[in-house]
Amino acid sequence: MSGEQTKAAGSPSWGAVRSRRLSSEVVTQVMQTVLDRMAPGDWLGSEATLAAEFGISRVTCREAIRELEAKGVVEVKVGADGGIRVAQPQPSRVAEVLAVQMHLIGISHDEIVAVQRALSPVAAEAAAADATEADIAAMVGLLAEQEQAFGDRERFTEVGMRLHARIGEASGNRILAIVLSALDPLEQPAFSTHADTQRSRRVLEAHRAIVDAIAAHDGAAARAAMTEHFEAFGAH
């Protein structure tokens, strides 16, 4: 449909805003409406129609739209079929933003390890139940890649982080996968710094036990192996 799109039945109805910072009120209203009842790709309107419905200037509306776009809430397209729609999900972006925010607020190493020790065994157990042949093949491949990287601290650590992320994805729980993926880059420098030969060998053995348990679809063994892995890391 070209030009201004017709407002469909069930489309959100915006209320005029009167706060001191109008653009912030627009952002609040749109975010709450998206959370309440909208889906990726849903039509919100054009800059002109939104400005009119909110009772604000197009300049103020544009400011709000830019903030919503920066937050990953909306997507803006130009042209005949352009306008503002609810954004498509980007799980990797959520993890990246979460990692940056945790870094900025000064999350400590002990806090990170505590969460990993709590969540990673849950993810491993779930992965043992839900992992597909493709998931398992990817884990086996990453384990082989980490073995080849033995002696190269940075690469060894980076591949290990990817293995943990793959286990999170295989758990079937997207919240677990996102949170664990966000924690990994925060810990990578610490893992890399302390990845001496002896510890690297223990990490490989632990990863092998975890992958073997997941491949056997043994949830209890996967959980136990992951728990032991993080207890050993916490001890160091």
Side-chain angles (χ1 to χ4, degrees):
M1 184 181 294
S2 62
E4 289 291 333
Q5 298 201 20
T6 303
K7 197 172 183 67
S11 294
S13 296
W14 310 111
V17 293
R18 299 180 177 82
S19 67
R20 292 176 62 185
R21 188 168 178 221
L22 300 178
S23 62
S24 295
E25 177 60 24
V26 172
V27 170
T28 299
Q29 278 200 47
V30 172
M31 288 183 66
Q32 190 57 56
T33 301
V34 169
L35 288 171
D36 285 346
R37 57 190 178 89
M38 303 196 78
D42 280 355
W43 169 254
L44 291 171
S46 67
E47 180 185 295
T49 59
L50 286 174
E53 290 187 44
F54 281 116
I56 57 178
S57 71
R58 291 186 64 167
V59 172
T60 300
C61 188
R62 192 174 304 129
E63 181 183 346
I65 292 166
R66 285 174 178 165
E67 183 175 346
L68 288 163
E69 191 175 18
K71 290 177 180 290
V73 179
V74 303
E75 294 173 346
V76 181
K77 293 185 178 180
V78 298
D81 295 320
I84 302 140
R85 294 184 181 275
V86 178
Q88 296 297 323
Q90 299 180 58
S92 61
R93 181 178 180 183
V94 176
E96 289 167 359
V97 172
L98 183 57
V100 170
Q101 289 299 318
M102 286 192 289
H103 169 71
L104 292 176
I105 64 176
I107 293 295
S108 71
H109 166 78
D110 288 344
E111 289 174 297
I112 294 168
V113 173
V115 174
Q116 288 174 320
R117 289 174 70 175
L119 297 184
S120 293
V122 175
E125 184 174 22
D130 295 336
T132 64
E133 290 184 8
D135 289 327
I136 294 169
M139 292 178 207
V140 171
L142 286 167
L143 185 59
E145 187 177 345
Q146 190 177 36
E147 289 174 340
Q148 293 172 357
F150 194 89
D152 182 337
R153 289 186 177 188
E154 289 189 6
R155 182 164 171 250
F156 181 88
T157 302
E158 186 269 332
V159 177
M161 295 293 183
R162 282 162 50 204
L163 175 59
H164 277 271
R166 199 68 179 80
I167 292 169
E169 292 169 12
S171 73
N173 187 313
R174 288 171 292 182
I175 297 176
L176 270 177
I178 288 170
V179 172
L180 291 173
S181 292
L183 292 173
D184 281 346
L186 298 176
E187 275 298 88
Q188 187 164 342
F191 278 123
S192 181
T193 299
H194 294 90
D196 58 27
T197 300
Q198 186 177 3
R199 289 175 182 171
S200 294
R201 187 171 291 111
R202 284 200 295 264
V203 167
L204 267 179
E205 291 171 355
H207 284 175
R208 191 175 295 111
I210 294 163
V211 171
D212 286 348
I214 292 173
H217 299 289
D218 187 337
R223 185 181 188 117
M226 186 68 84
T227 299
E228 183 177 351
H229 177 36
F230 274 98
E231 285 180 349
F233 174 71
H236 294 288

